[in-house]
């Protein structure tokens, strides 16, 4: 277990565990993976993530990778992106995918839900202005549908438009003739996905990891 | 009169009719079926009929003999379950389902068997002669659950999907397990001494049987799918293949003594996905209808005969044994569910809470399979009558008591409900987004989970399987499929508003006649156009169909009536439109009239309303239902500084629009004189986002002035967005690619 020697010792794990809510075991495993991805460097950069072979066929790959470098996901109060992140930041981003504990109160569940939805919202909102504009939404839909072979260029646009109108109708309902619908704000987003049980679905079970099989690409 | 000649078919027909009459009778007062599950009612009727028969000393037909039951009555039921199984939730929960089915049944059988054996030792009950093997055999018989009644209750109450699918899946697979165990114990019961080797062999046999069944099923499924690839010229017999192949799978599995139930279920599962893309729409409907019908009949007959046979067999009643059987069945099921859930909950993303567990445990009704298995017990078991009686007792008890009480209980304890309002495009988009995100993050972490497998399988599917098995294999995203479905819904709603509410759809035949007469005058559509439209819409509908069958009521067909409704409504509206002046004055009742507004324009018309050229065809589409076309027109320049949705309002009505088909091949600017331009009153104050419902032109019948007034009341409508059908602002395209989704004939009522 040579890799373990280079890992931070227990006291640092305590800090991280507290901050992110992972257990020591999970942190250890994730750290191993981090080392693997970064080829034992200290910080993770975009090109490290770009090299993962399986990720290459994911349609929203770029958004996922960007999400790691987005300050809003890193719980820092800044905006914009960073170029590289350390292990702690990596963990913080990963913690968005932790399943909620079995017995939590309603408020906790709400906050977990908000957190996850915020993550998705940030994935849409690439220019960091707090709203998802039509262009951004279209971009996402196009990427999502890019796997489908038969898609015509305009279908994605129509779908995005339709979706946008739907949002508008849900959140704004009655609009005056000179109102614009600027874009989806986070509150509207919440309202939109009201029935969507994201807190139970957007989870990864972090214990069962087999880091051996997944070499970082580019070897 | 030569009665013996026709006797057998005659009697069969009569019995089926009788059972079906009973079924009709229940729905006369439909509240009954809410509180009392159908199976109870059927059994009751059966009891009555059995009483009658008994009193005239008639013997009921030997429906429940082994061959008849297992070869003729069981396959339709299982096919029905397998065909309409919601696949996606099923595969997401397959671990849990198999866990409960296999391990749960084992637990139940062994537990009940052992405890009964213990009871047998007590002298007071007088059943000491039943040895362990026979007890185990009996326990196996009664641990097969058949929650038909429960499933319909669950549906009505909309319990959460997980619970539903686990109960469903468990029922399906534990039939297979039970039969295997039964055969095994049967075999073992004969032997005087049981060696450990035999037990081990038994277990090995179990796996062979299970997986063998699945393998056969998949094989036949693929062969069926492949066959349907070539059936485009013989549409009439397409449904036949489905039935023949699945039945064949069943029979061949029976031949090799592997699990025929698994075979037919996996066959249906595999087949369904590919076949539904290959066959015509009608064949698809036929298949579904017939599957449901056969399943329903079988079930009805079985419960019916359960009642009949209850009266007419000789019973051997033993209070102690039977009561303890009931007790143990209940207790062991409850315990089993509890323990198994504890073990499997950590592995689940959505763990089962106590209420779910209660639903699961209480939903363990016994039914047909137990019944049949009891009858097929070999005669060398001395206490066969006792077993039969006990089985019947437990079936009746669970069906009546638990069946009737489960509904109020489930509602009382407030089991977690499902939220099926995900019919919005946004939800679908985000669902996909989330799944891809998770798959991506998992790749990043180097972790596997079921998303990974699903991903891999879908890739394999697209690349290999679909190419081979589907005639026209173009993958389509579920987002697009949902979009099309919603378009269809919109279309229907438009038709609805156009023609008013059609409460009683007249028979299609009469409509067709009228339609034909009306359509005689002019037909200016190119044949090629029509064919294209047919094709496009058919394809759309197939895919839509895939999405809409997720949650189906056990006793009713899935709601496949969309397309038919469109057809009906279309015809009715055509018919209505023939009447003079029927449209000029109708105010659009509820619909939002703004479906699109060009951004940055005011309500004064900037674009002169374009008159549709009077190609004036009423009805040019024949069978396929055509939602009216989306209008197209110039895209006003959008100021890019604000994220506005380009919306255009389509005003349609003063002049008579005419039905026309947008010429797909003509590349001319839609804003021009194209044949199918609806009136576009593109007046709009800056893009107002309506909560639009009808993107289609032709749906709107109000006049411009009405538009503004009715805006507000229409807006009110939008306040309850259960699932607001999206309207979309299509971009006006300038010559280029026609979006097939948007190309539809615009139709107009004649003035």
């Amino acid at each position: 277990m040579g890799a373990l020697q280079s890992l931070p010792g227990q006291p640092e794990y305590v800090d991280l565990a507290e901050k992110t809510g992972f257990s020591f075991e999970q942190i250890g495993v994730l750290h191993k993976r981090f080392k693997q991805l970064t080829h034992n460097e200290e910080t993770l950069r975009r090109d490290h993530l770009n090299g993962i072979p399986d990720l290459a066929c994911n349609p929203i790959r770029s958004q996922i990778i960007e999400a790691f470098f987005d300050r809003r996901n890193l719980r820092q109060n800044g905006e914009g992106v960073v170029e590289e992140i350390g292990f702690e930041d990596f963990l913080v981003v990963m913690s968005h995918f932790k399943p909620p504990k079995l017995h939590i109160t309603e408020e906790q569940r709400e906050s977990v839900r908000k957190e996850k939805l915020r993550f998705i919202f940030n994935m849409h909102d690439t220019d960091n202005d707090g709203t998802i504009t039509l262009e951004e939404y279209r971009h996402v839909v196009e990427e999502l549908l890019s796997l489908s072979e038969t898609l015509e260029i305009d279908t994605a646009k129509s779908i995005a438009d339709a979706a946008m109108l739907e949002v508008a109708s849900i959140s704004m309902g009655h609009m005056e003739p000179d109102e614009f619908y600027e874009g989806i704000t986070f509150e509207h987003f919440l309202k939109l996905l009201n029935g969507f049980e994201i807190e139970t679905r957007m989870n990864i079970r972090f214990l069962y990891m087999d880091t051996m099989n997944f070499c970082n690409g580019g070897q | 009169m030569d009665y013996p000649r026709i006797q057998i078919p005659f009697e069969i027909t009569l019995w089926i009719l009788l059972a079906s009459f009973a079924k009709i009778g229940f729905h006369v007062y439909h509240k009954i079926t809410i509180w009392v599950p159908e199976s109870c009612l059927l059994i009751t009727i059966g009891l009555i009929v059995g009483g009658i028969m008994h009193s005239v000393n008639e013997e009921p037909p030997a429906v429940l003999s082994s061959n008849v039951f297992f070869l003729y009555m069981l396959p339709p039921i299982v096919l029905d379950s397998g065909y309409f199984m919601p696949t996606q939730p099923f595969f997401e929960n397959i671990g849990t389902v198999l866990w409960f089915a296999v391990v749960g049944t084992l637990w139940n059988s062994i537990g009940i068997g052992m405890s009964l054996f213990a009871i047998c030792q007590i002298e007071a009950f007088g059943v000491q002669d039943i040895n362990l093997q026979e007890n185990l055999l009996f326990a196996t018989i009664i641990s097969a659950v058949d929650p038909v009644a429960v499933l319909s209750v669950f549906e009505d109450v909309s319990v959460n999907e997980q619970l539903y699918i686990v109960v469903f899946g468990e029922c399906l697979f534990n039939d297979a397990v039970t039969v295997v165990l039964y055969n095994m114990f049967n075999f073992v019961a004969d032997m005087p001494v049981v060696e450990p080797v035999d037990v081990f062999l038994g277990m090995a046999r179990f796996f062979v049987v299970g997986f063998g069944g699945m393998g056969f099923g998949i094989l036949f499924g693929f062969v069926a799918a492949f066959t349907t690839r070539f059936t485009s010229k013989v549409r009439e017999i397409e449904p036949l293949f489905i039935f023949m192949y699945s039945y064949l799978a069943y029979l061949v599995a029976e031949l090799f003594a592997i699990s025929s139930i698994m075979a037919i279920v996996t066959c249906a599962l595999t087949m369904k996905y590919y076949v539904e893309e290959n066959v015509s729409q009608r064949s698809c409907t036929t298949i579904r209808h017939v599957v449901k019908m056969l399943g329903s009949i079988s079930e009805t007959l079985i419960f019916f005969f359960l009642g009949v046979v209850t009266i007419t067999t000789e019973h051997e009643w033993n209070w102690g044994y039977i009561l303890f059987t009931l007790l143990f069945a209940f207790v062991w099921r409850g315990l089993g569910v509890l323990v198994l859930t504890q073990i499997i909950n950590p592995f689940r993303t959505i763990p089962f809470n106590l209420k779910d567990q209660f639903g699961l445990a209480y939903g363990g009704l016994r039914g047909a399979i137990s019944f049949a298995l009891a009858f097929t017990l070999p005669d060398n078991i001395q206490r066969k009558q006792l077993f039969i009686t006990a089985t019947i007792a437990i079936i009746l008890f669970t069906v009546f008591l638990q069946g009737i009480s489960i509904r109020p209980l489930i509602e009382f304890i407030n089991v977690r409900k499902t939220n099926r309002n995900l019919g919005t495009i946004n939800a679908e988009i985000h669902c996909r987004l989330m799944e891809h995100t998770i798959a991506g993050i998992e790749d990043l972490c180097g972790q596997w989970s079921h998303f990974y497998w699903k991903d891999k399988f879908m890739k394999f599917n697209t690349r290999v399987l679909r190419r081979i098995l589907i005639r026209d294999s173009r993958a389509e995203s579920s987002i697009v499929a949902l979009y099309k479905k919603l378009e269809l819904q919109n279309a229907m709603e438009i038709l609805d508003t156009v023609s008013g509410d059609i409460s009683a759809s007249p028979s299609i035949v009469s409509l067709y006649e009228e339609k034909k007469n009306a359509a005689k005058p002019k037909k200016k559509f190119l044949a090629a156009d029509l064919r294209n439209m047919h094709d496009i819409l058919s394809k759309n509908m197939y895919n839509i169909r895939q999405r809409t069958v997720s949650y189906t009521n056990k006793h009713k067909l899935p709601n496949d009536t969309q397309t038919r409704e469109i057809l009906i409504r279309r015809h009715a509206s055509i018919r209505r439109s023939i009447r003079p002046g029927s449209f000029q004055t109708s105010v659009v009742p509820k619909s939002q009239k703004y479906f699109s507004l060009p951004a940055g324009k005011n309500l004064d018309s900037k674009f002169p309303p374009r008159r549709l050229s009077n190609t004036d065809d009423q009805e040019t589409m024949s069978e396929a239902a055509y939602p009216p076309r989306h209008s197209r027109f110039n895209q006003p320049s959008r100021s890019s500084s604000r994220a506005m949705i380009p919306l255009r309002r389509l005003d349609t009505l003063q002049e008579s629009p005419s039905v026309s088909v947008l010429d797909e091949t003509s590349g001319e600017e839609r804003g021009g004189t194209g044949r199918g331009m609806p009136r576009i009153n593109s007046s709009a104050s800056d893009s107002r986002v309506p909560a639009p419902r009808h993107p289609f032109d032709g749906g709107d019948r109000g006049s411009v002035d009405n538009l503004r007034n009715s805006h507000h009341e229409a807006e009110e409508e939008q306040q309850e967005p259960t699932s607001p059908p999206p309207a979309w602002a299509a971009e006006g395209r300038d010559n280029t690619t026609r979006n097939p989704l948007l190309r539809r004939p615009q139709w107009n009522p004649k003035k």
Side-chain angles (χ1 to χ4, degrees):
Chain A
M1 294 282 238
L4 270 183
Q5 261 93 46
S6 52
L7 296 177
Q10 289 293 84
E12 300 186 28
Y13 273 18
V14 171
D15 262 346
L16 291 172
E18 243 171 84
K19 214 172 160 202
T20 58
F22 282 118
S23 72
F24 290 163
E25 207 176 3
Q26 289 169 331
I27 296 184
V29 179
L30 280 169
H31 201 113
K32 252 199 288 184
R33 180 63 178 168
F34 186 75
K35 289 280 178 206
Q36 224 179 27
L37 286 175
T38 61
H39 304 288
N40 281 327
E41 292 174 31
E42 283 303 315
T43 56
L44 187 73
R45 290 191 303 278
R46 282 195 185 79
D47 41 338
H48 291 139
L49 293 178
N50 274 326
I52 301 176
D54 287 296
L55 202 54
C57 23
N58 196 311
I60 50 172
R61 175 177 49 128
S62 48
Q63 265 109 339
I64 296 179
I65 295 182
E66 272 311 306
F68 275 87
F69 297 94
D70 191 339
R71 279 230 181 85
R72 293 171 294 176
N73 290 336
L74 298 177
R75 309 253 175 91
Q76 303 164 10
N77 288 330
E79 288 202 342
V81 295
V82 294
E83 283 310 312
E84 43 186 29
I85 56 174
F87 179 57
E88 187 178 320
D89 300 324
F90 183 74
L91 270 190
V92 168
V93 175
M94 284 299 183
S95 69
H96 283 98
F97 289 90
K98 256 170 20 71
K101 302 199 185 30
L102 266 187
H103 308 289
I104 53 178
T105 65
E106 267 310 303
E107 301 96 52
Q108 283 174 323
R109 181 178 281 269
E110 243 339 275
S111 71
V112 166
R113 193 186 147 75
K114 269 205 185 140
E115 192 183 299
K116 297 189 195 275
L117 281 174
R118 186 89 218 173
F119 189 85
I120 303 263
F121 187 81
N122 291 340
M123 273 176 70
H124 284 292
D125 185 17
T126 46
D127 59 357
N128 285 346
D129 63 353
T131 57
I132 305 178
T133 58
L134 184 64
E135 274 310 314
E136 292 169 344
Y137 205 79
R138 269 197 195 145
H139 184 62
V140 173
V141 173
E142 271 166 21
E143 296 225 320
L144 268 184
L145 297 181
S146 59
L147 281 185
S148 170
E149 303 159 349
T150 64
L151 199 61
E152 305 201 356
I153 314 167
D154 297 323
T155 311
K157 279 208 199 131
S158 328
I159 293 179
D161 294 345
M164 216 42 177
L165 285 171
E166 207 177 67
V167 178
S169 70
I170 293 182
S171 11
M172 309 277 276
H174 182 92
M175 278 176 73
E176 296 308 316
D178 13 335
E179 273 183 85
F180 282 105
Y181 189 62
E182 299 250 2
I184 312 180
T185 62
F186 189 56
E187 287 73 37
H188 292 167
F189 195 69
L190 281 179
K191 207 164 154 193
L192 181 71
L193 293 180
N194 205 2
F196 194 63
E197 289 184 346
I198 197 171
E199 64 269 15
T200 47
R201 296 172 71 165
M202 184 167 139
N203 296 323
I204 299 183
R205 291 191 290 270
F206 279 104
L207 266 187
Y208 308 106
M209 299 213 302
D210 188 354
T211 54
M212 286 314 157
N213 289 357
F214 283 82
C215 313
N216 191 3
Q219 263 105 28
Chain B
M1 282 207 325
D2 186 6
Y3 184 63
R5 181 164 163 254
I6 63 157
Q7 177 174 12
I8 294 184
F10 186 69
E11 292 190 352
I12 294 177
T13 316
L14 277 187
W15 279 109
I16 296 181
L17 266 184
L18 184 60
S20 311
F21 284 150
K23 237 177 129 114
I24 296 181
F26 300 149
H27 290 280
V28 166
Y29 181 53
H30 83 96
K31 285 246 167 112
I32 290 189
T33 49
I34 298 185
W35 294 110
V36 180
E38 259 191 37
S39 18
C40 299
L41 294 170
L42 282 168
I43 296 181
T44 322
I45 302 276
L47 286 171
I48 297 176
V49 172
I52 298 177
M53 289 188 78
H54 190 69
S55 56
V56 298
N57 283 332
E58 272 264 341
E59 277 293 313
V63 167
L64 295 160
S65 72
S66 162
N67 268 354
V68 173
F69 180 77
F70 281 105
L71 291 184
Y72 298 113
M73 310 212 56
L74 187 59
I77 296 181
V78 188
L79 181 63
D80 178 15
S81 308
Y83 200 80
F84 289 107
M85 171 136 62
T87 41
Q88 196 185 6
F90 176 68
F91 281 112
E92 284 178 6
N93 288 295
I94 191 164
T96 317
V97 165
L98 285 178
W99 176 253
F100 275 106
V102 175
V103 180
T105 314
L106 274 175
W107 169 282
N108 273 327
S109 323
I110 298 183
I112 299 179
M114 298 283 196
S115 355
L116 279 177
F117 184 60
I119 291 293
C120 288
Q121 310 306 358
I122 303 179
E123 288 188 16
F125 298 127
V127 283
Q128 270 156 313
D129 50 333
I130 309 181
N131 59 15
L132 179 64
Q133 289 136 332
E134 292 178 354
N135 268 314
L136 282 175
L137 191 57
F138 175 62
T140 313
I141 295 177
I142 63 167
S143 49
V145 290
D146 180 23
V148 164
V150 173
L151 284 178
S152 50
V153 171
F154 278 178
E155 280 232 27
D156 288 339
V157 177
S158 320
V159 297
N160 64 80
E161 205 174 48
Q162 320 295 321
L163 184 57
Y164 181 88
I165 196 69
V166 170
V167 172
F168 193 171
E170 187 199 351
C171 142
L172 212 54
F173 286 105
N174 87 355
D175 288 346
V177 175
T178 305
V179 172
V180 168
L181 274 182
Y182 176 86
N183 286 327
M184 191 170 83
F185 282 134
N186 213 354
F187 180 66
V188 161
D190 277 341
M191 297 165 32
V193 178
V194 181
E195 308 272 328
V197 181
D198 299 320
V199 173
F200 181 67
L201 279 179
M203 280 177 33
R205 184 156 179 259
F206 169 74
F207 282 107
V208 166
V209 162
F211 287 111
M214 279 203 268
F216 265 87
I218 294 182
L219 180 70
F220 275 97
F222 281 146
V223 173
F226 191 63
T227 314
T228 52
R229 189 178 170 180
F230 303 107
T231 54
S232 51
K233 303 292 179 203
V234 284
R235 294 282 186 201
E236 306 83 27
I237 59 171
E238 268 176 340
L240 193 66
F241 290 107
I242 311 298
F243 296 106
M244 293 298 115
Y245 275 112
S246 25
Y247 198 42
L248 206 58
Y250 187 84
L251 293 174
V252 170
E254 281 279 319
L255 174 66
F256 290 109
I258 54 182
S259 170
S260 41
I261 295 179
M262 298 281 288
I264 200 173
V265 168
T266 30
C267 186
L269 277 180
T270 329
M271 231 174 18
K272 173 177 176 181
Y273 173 68
Y274 300 107
V275 160
E276 291 209 339
E277 295 213 17
N278 276 339
V279 302
S280 74
Q281 181 190 345
R282 287 195 173 153
S283 302
C284 204
T285 314
T286 311
I287 293 173
R288 291 174 172 212
H289 225 116
V290 176
V291 167
K292 269 293 173 190
M293 185 181 79
L294 290 177
S296 185
I297 289 185
S298 268
E299 215 171 87
T300 310
L301 279 179
I302 287 179
F303 279 112
F304 187 71
F305 278 107
L306 185 60
V308 171
V309 166
T310 308
I311 305 278
T312 57
T313 48
E314 304 174 7
H315 289 291
E316 180 186 335
W317 187 265
N318 182 311
W319 277 103
Y321 196 73
I322 293 181
L323 284 183
F324 271 103
T325 307
L326 287 175
L327 179 69
F328 286 136
F330 212 62
V331 163
W332 280 100
R333 176 146 180 106
L335 268 183
V337 166
L338 217 63
V339 170
L340 292 179
T341 326
Q342 287 305 102
I343 299 182
I344 199 154
N345 255 347
F347 295 91
R348 287 180 56 83
T349 349
I350 309 179
F352 281 134
N353 57 18
L354 273 179
K355 296 179 186 170
D356 294 332
Q357 292 172 37
F358 174 76
L360 203 51
Y362 204 69
L365 275 58
R366 273 60 174 179
I369 296 253
S370 314
F371 192 30
L373 283 175
F375 266 88
T376 63
L377 278 172
D379 285 322
N380 58 7
I381 298 183
Q382 304 159 282
R383 293 290 207 148
K384 182 173 171 183
Q385 287 309 119
L386 174 61
F387 286 153
I388 293 181
T389 311
T391 311
I392 293 183
I394 194 174
I395 293 178
L396 289 182
F397 181 83
T398 54
V399 170
F400 277 95
L401 207 72
Q402 287 179 243
I404 296 183
S405 62
I406 192 164
R407 194 196 175 104
L409 276 176
I410 292 279
E411 291 188 352
F412 179 65
I413 66 174
N414 203 11
V415 171
R416 196 165 21 118
K417 300 268 166 70
T418 184
N419 196 329
R420 300 299 295 178
N421 289 345
L422 296 184
T424 60
I425 284 196
N426 278 292
E428 183 70 30
I429 290 180
H430 284 98
C431 194
R432 293 284 145 261
L433 189 69
M434 190 197 68
E435 287 183 2
H436 282 302
T437 312
I438 295 188
I441 301 267
E442 283 178 351
D443 286 333
L444 233 143
C445 295
Q447 178 179 351
W448 293 6
S449 84
H450 76 271
F451 282 111
Y452 176 76
W453 290 113
K454 181 176 175 188
D455 223 20
K456 281 266 178 293
F457 177 71
M458 292 313 276
K459 284 195 200 119
F460 175 65
N461 190 24
T462 329
R463 235 178 286 136
V464 176
L465 291 177
R466 287 182 66 108
R467 294 256 167 81
I468 302 180
L469 298 175
I470 298 187
R471 203 173 349 127
D472 179 14
S473 70
R474 294 183 301 165
E476 207 167 56
S477 150
S478 60
I479 299 181
V480 179
L482 181 66
Y483 175 62
K484 290 178 186 170
K485 166 191 168 195
L486 290 168
E487 278 197 355
L488 219 55
Q489 262 178 19
N490 260 298
M492 265 170 40
E493 289 182 23
I494 287 183
L495 289 170
D496 208 1
T497 59
V498 167
S499 53
D501 205 6
I502 306 182
S503 43
S505 358
S507 83
I508 301 200
V509 174
S510 57
L511 284 175
Y512 191 67
E513 298 308 309
E514 300 198 34
K515 169 201 84 162
K516 269 205 302 197
N517 296 336
K520 288 292 195 266
K522 297 153 211 168
K523 277 197 186 193
K524 291 208 184 149
F525 295 87
L526 305 171
D529 287 349
L530 275 182
R531 244 179 287 122
N532 281 339
M533 287 189 286
H534 270 282
D535 267 62
I536 289 170
L537 269 155
S538 320
K539 284 210 189 68
N540 290 353
M541 289 179 198
Y542 297 157
N543 289 316
I544 291 166
R545 200 189 306 123
Q546 281 175 346
R547 295 293 302 181
T548 52
V549 181
S550 51
Y551 228 146
T552 60
N553 187 341
K554 191 101 172 98
H555 293 284
K556 295 205 210 88
L557 274 182
N559 186 7
D560 205 14
T561 53
Q562 274 182 349
T563 53
R564 213 172 355 116
E565 275 180 70
I566 289 188
L567 183 63
I568 294 175
R569 289 170 189 218
R570 190 125 216 286
H571 291 168
S573 48
I574 299 287
R575 193 177 48 158
R576 253 165 256 224
S577 69
I578 302 173
R579 299 189 203 116
S582 57
F583 277 101
Q584 305 327 92
T585 52
S586 66
V587 179
V588 181
K590 297 188 277 197
S591 59
Q592 173 49 256
K593 277 153 305 253
Y594 276 71
F595 21 94
S596 44
L597 288 178
K601 304 288 182 221
N602 323 355
L603 272 168
D604 318 305
S605 20
K606 194 112 193 230
F607 297 172
R610 277 177 205 114
R611 185 172 290 262
L612 287 173
S613 56
N614 255 344
T615 52
D616 137 354
D617 335 330
Q618 280 300 333
E619 174 58 74
T620 51
M621 342 314 164
S622 39
E623 277 83 29
Y626 285 83
R629 259 209 211 187
H630 195 109
S631 63
R632 324 160 130 239
F633 51 90
N634 280 336
Q635 155 104 41
S637 55
R638 229 175 355 132
S639 60
S640 49
S641 55
R642 314 186 65 166
M644 294 189 310
I645 306 169
L647 300 169
R648 294 162 226 114
R649 186 185 79 201
L650 301 172
D651 172 23
T652 49
L653 282 298
Q654 294 95 342
E655 307 79 294
S656 69
S658 56
V659 185
S660 55
V661 179
L662 281 177
D663 190 354
E664 297 171 4
T665 52
S666 87
E668 40 182 348
E669 170 71 17
R670 269 310 154 228
T673 57
R675 258 195 292 164
M677 250 350 184
R679 244 136 304 93
I680 303 140
N681 187 349
S682 68
S683 43
S685 55
D686 317 276
S687 56
R688 168 188 205 303
V689 179
R693 282 194 189 211
H694 306 287
F696 300 112
D697 162 84
D700 243 70
R701 293 291 158 226
S703 61
V704 185
D705 322 293
N706 280 347
L707 274 173
R708 222 185 280 220
N709 303 340
S710 13
H711 251 283
H712 295 280
E713 71 233 356
E715 289 304 342
E716 254 72 70
E717 287 297 344
Q718 307 307 325
Q719 299 309 334
E720 10 67 63
T722 42
S723 84
W728 31 100
E731 307 247 0
R733 246 136 300 244
D734 313 304
N735 303 325
T736 45
T737 45
R738 307 293 177 212
N739 187 333
L741 295 178
L742 300 180
R743 264 173 283 165
R744 279 184 214 95
Q746 248 141 22
W747 69 281
N748 272 304
K750 213 167 148 117
K751 237 214 243 181

